[in-house]
Amino acid sequence: MEKDLYSNRSVSACIKAAYSLFVLNARTILRKTWLPVLAYALILTGVVIINIPDKSIHDWGMRYPWVTTTAMTVVHVLSFVCSSWLVAKIVSLLNGLSVRRLFLRSVVLNVFVYLYTLLTTSLVSGYLQTLVMKLLALLKVSPESTAVAFVLTVAIILLLITICMVPIDYASTKYVIDPKTQLLQVVGQDFAVGMRHWGFWFLVRLIAIIIMLLIAMLVMIPFFVLLFAQVFNQLGMLGGDPDGTPSYFFSLFLAVSVLTFFVMGYELVWNLLVGYFAYGSVYTQEEEKKKHLKALQDNETTENTVY
């Protein structure tokens, strides 16, 4: 796909560039990515099915609990694999690298970021909560004030996690797109770059998410109508009521679910393109900054030599 990555774009320009690239290459994107998007849609449909009330699944699960647990684990792992496959397909179209290589990088990155996030979240939340509770006990604060302090502590923890996830998102995007990037740079050098451009990256992602939510609200209306009907009907059946839906209803629900998630999959494709152009903008800004600093250093060297 034709693209101009390394350009200093504004937030709106990144959104527009991603839209233009998606529209101009829609046929190519669909032809190259329909299989991973379809697999992703099927897996997400499976995730929905196993997480909503269903009398037949409930009865079967009660008879075979270990099989049910294994099946749920496999479905969630497959959703992880399919999302990595989709990312690899799109990035392959952008930088020309092999899908296999990009898939492995995407899987490694996702596992690394998941473990890193889990570890840091556990450490931060555990440390702050313990510190606050010990401090409150030392000061002999009332139970009411302790409850308020606990809520504030949780809010601060969530805020810190959100702040840190923005540069992690930037570093992760760079790792997948740029094959020269090392894994440890995600929480090192590239994390620092992401922090310097925190406001820009946050605005790009925020606007993209708002656009995606607005589209999702329209696209997912039929799915939610059928989902609520399925849930309430199954809850009634679990309570002893007869099945109140026609025989074809469950098949219709599955078809609409797969179709909906298939369409939503291309929202994720567009969001990846937004991150692609945002990364190019950050990279360009960093290179321009380096050139500017080098020019200043050269001028100072020249002046010192003359005088």
Side-chain angles (χ1 to χ4, degrees):
M1 296 189 297
E2 295 183 2
K3 65 276 183 186
D4 180 19
L5 174 60
Y6 299 111
S7 178
N8 191 353
R9 294 180 173 86
S10 63
V11 172
S12 59
C14 291
I15 302 291
K16 183 178 179 181
Y19 171 78
S20 299
L21 184 63
F22 185 89
V23 172
L24 292 175
N25 298 275
R27 184 174 297 180
T28 301
I29 292 174
L30 180 62
R31 187 176 70 252
K32 296 288 187 179
T33 63
W34 70 268
L35 187 56
V37 173
L38 179 59
Y40 185 68
L42 289 169
I43 293 301
L44 285 184
T45 298
V47 172
V48 171
I49 294 301
I50 64 177
N51 284 283
I52 62 174
D54 189 288
K55 188 177 186 305
S56 57
I57 294 178
H58 175 268
D59 293 343
W60 190 85
M62 293 299 292
R63 290 196 300 270
Y64 309 102
W66 287 108
V67 176
T68 304
T69 302
T70 303
M72 293 178 66
T73 303
V74 169
V75 167
H76 287 292
V77 170
L78 286 177
S79 66
F80 174 85
V81 171
C82 287
S83 62
S84 299
W85 182 20
L86 178 57
V87 169
K89 274 284 189 179
I90 293 299
V91 176
S92 176
L93 294 176
L94 295 171
N95 61 15
L97 295 177
S98 69
V99 175
R100 180 179 179 180
R101 179 181 178 184
L102 292 169
F103 173 75
L104 292 176
R105 286 178 68 86
S106 181
V107 170
V108 170
L109 174 68
N110 287 334
V111 172
F112 179 79
V113 171
Y114 174 78
L115 295 176
Y116 173 80
T117 304
L118 181 64
L119 177 62
T120 54
T121 301
S122 301
L123 290 176
V124 170
S125 60
Y127 177 75
L128 280 180
Q129 288 184 18
T130 302
L131 180 63
V132 170
M133 292 301 109
K134 287 184 177 179
L135 181 61
L136 293 176
L138 183 64
L139 297 175
K140 298 181 180 180
V141 178
S142 65
E144 293 79 8
S145 299
T146 301
V148 173
F150 179 78
V151 172
L152 290 175
T153 302
V154 172
I156 292 172
I157 291 170
L158 293 176
L159 179 61
L160 290 174
I161 292 172
T162 302
I163 291 173
C164 290
M165 287 311 298
V166 172
I168 285 289
D169 183 39
Y170 162 77
S172 300
T173 302
K174 181 177 183 294
Y175 178 81
V176 174
I177 292 173
D178 185 0
K180 298 177 182 179
T181 305
Q182 301 298 317
L183 185 61
L184 289 179
Q185 290 180 230
V186 174
V187 292
Q189 177 184 340
D190 293 334
F191 182 90
V193 174
M195 285 299 294
R196 288 199 294 271
H197 298 269
W198 193 95
F200 171 78
W201 196 267
F202 175 77
L203 283 177
V204 168
R205 286 307 196 191
L206 178 63
I207 294 175
I209 289 173
I210 291 174
I211 293 173
M212 292 172 66
L213 287 176
L214 291 174
I215 296 173
M217 288 172 62
L218 296 176
V219 172
M220 299 190 74
I221 288 175
F223 167 75
F224 280 125
V225 170
L226 295 176
L227 176 65
F228 291 145
Q230 172 72 4
V231 169
F232 290 130
N233 180 64
Q234 291 296 326
L235 287 174
M237 292 176 64
L238 288 170
D241 296 336
D243 187 356
T245 59
S247 58
Y248 61 83
F249 181 83
F250 187 69
S251 299
L252 176 64
F253 173 66
L254 291 179
V256 171
S257 178
V258 171
L259 180 60
T260 300
F261 289 125
F262 185 83
V263 174
M264 296 300 295
Y266 284 98
E267 276 202 330
L268 298 179
V269 171
W270 173 77
N271 188 46
L272 181 59
L273 296 180
V274 172
Y276 175 76
F277 285 110
Y279 156 70
S281 181
V282 170
Y283 180 88
T284 303
Q285 292 175 36
E286 287 290 308
E287 290 300 307
E288 290 176 352
K289 181 180 178 181
K290 291 178 183 178
K291 291 179 181 179
H292 180 66
L293 291 175
K294 187 176 184 302
L296 289 177
Q297 291 174 356
D298 291 342
N299 289 336
E300 290 179 359
T301 302
T302 302
E303 291 176 357
N304 292 333
T305 302
V306 172
Y307 292 106

